[in-house]
Amino acid sequence: MRQIRIVAAMLMCIAVFDILPARAQKFESLAQTPPMGWNSWNKFACDGINEKVIREVADAMVASGMQQAGYRYIVIDDCWQVGRDSAGNIIADSVKFPGGIKALADYIHSKGLKFGIYTCAGTKTCAGRPASLGYEYQDARQYAAWGVDYLKEDWCNTLKDQNALASYTLMRDALYKAGRPIVFSLCEWGSNKPWLWAEDVGHLWRSTGDISAIWSTPANPDGSPRSGSVLGNMDLENGLEKYAGPGHWNDPDMLEVGNEGLTVDESRAHFSLWCMLAAPLISGNDLRNMSDDTRAILTNKNLIAIDQDPMGRQGYRVSMKEGLEVFVKPLQGGDTAVCLLNRGDQEKQLDLAWKEYGIGGGHPIKDLWKDRQTGTTDTHFRGTIGRHQVIVLRLSR
Ligand code: GLA
């Protein structure tokens, strides 16, 4: 009788531990600063990816100095998957990935890089490939077995009334149960305001629709910003700064730096704004064929230090006047990053009184793109700023 009671008590313990929310959490400490890496979508989309391209991009990540600058994750986006076997296991495209996903992950790991993959919370991915709805635990186990370090989960082809919080929480729990620390990137485009609920679910969440290599998109009829461009996606971040911090980031989408459609000035502005916003820096160009300008932008250590500042504050706009905008990002130790943006088409003369932005005198100023000191905040900041250009300054405490 006593033995039966002990066994019954043990079973109850197991049952209780199995349903305890202790298991239900995201992996902590995986993205204390915004994740940095590369993703295949912006340049290679669906048809352009294969094992050779991904390996070569990993090689180029190392050879180009991107790895040294802090980029870590190589993420394969949509279209690597073609079906499921009779046991429901996801099957990778064996024509495009003849060596299989595990071998590719091993190769990426052998370079000291990390490996990411893509799925979708609906019945099919955005490109119509098999997705994870109903297969969350099985897929999570497979990702862990392959050595995945980063998962992007999209939101296409979801069921009518499918609940985003519940769906992404399910995948979070599945990843946790699978036991391999995986950065979890939510991609529901801001449709369900993930900044209000995703802090405990994932490490980053898209806050906008897809970006393109376009400078600006016309506003919606009600005047609200429209995604689809550098300025459109950037404008949609306005007001979200209070939701970002170490381990949980707003994501205005991947970088278009180096892709056809943006000028060098626009690419520099795009990169600077993403750094000011503490945005994930996920490059989206062909790393194997970068111009010197593109490489210099993506690997600029002064700007990356703003993005990766350990305090993790998202910068915000403090003024907009006739197309000239000023952004501020408080940094650890009391420094401040300031970005001046000329979003208009005419060159502008600058005559900035620091006290208008609540900044007192005595702070030495460094121009981060010119990489040199340039006076102090005791005097007005004067100069010219061309169309679609930025000036980024770091004010010392
Ligand atoms: C959606 C996402 C993109 C990309 C594509 C892939 O549009 O927002 O970032 O992943 O799907 O099909």
Side-chain angles (χ1 to χ4, degrees), residues 215-236:
W215 177 242
S216 171
T217 19
N220 290 312
D222 66 356
S224 62
R226 188 198 296 251
S227 61
S229 64
V230 170
L231 292 184
N233 283 34
M234 183 274 287
D235 285 336
L236 284 162

Side-chain angles (χ1 to χ4, degrees), residues 42-58:
N42 283 357
K43 175 70 188 175
F44 296 93
C46 196
D47 296 337
I49 55 164
N50 58 56
E51 184 178 298
K52 182 166 174 285
V53 166
I54 304 294
R55 280 177 178 246
E56 288 174 1
V57 165

Side-chain angles (χ1 to χ4, degrees), residues 148 256 330 350 375 378:
V148 168
E256 291 283 11
L350 297 171
D378 287 332

Side-chain angles (χ1 to χ4, degrees), residues 155-209:
W155 191 244
C156 281
N157 302 305
T158 46
L159 305 177
K160 192 171 171 287
D161 300 329
Q162 187 170 330
N163 182 286
L165 169 58
S167 294
Y168 284 104
T169 303
L170 184 62
M171 183 55 94
R172 174 201 71 177
D173 294 349
L175 293 173
Y176 199 73
K177 182 98 192 259
R180 183 178 172 90
I182 291 180
V183 171
F184 189 26
S185 160
L186 280 58
C187 179
E188 57 74 86
W189 324 302
S191 317
N192 299 278
K193 299 192 168 64
W195 46 88
L196 297 179
W197 49 261
E199 177 173 346
D200 295 329
V201 181
H203 302 91
L204 59 158
W205 51 79
R206 280 275 298 278
S207 39
T208 72

Side-chain angles (χ1 to χ4, degrees), residues 41 77-78 118 126-127 152 154 156 187 189 206 210 253-254:
W41 186 255
D77 207 280
D78 207 349
Y118 163 99
C126 298
K152 169 175 170 181
D154 219 331
C156 281
C187 179
W189 324 302
R206 280 275 298 278
D210 288 7
D253 205 1
M254 304 171 291

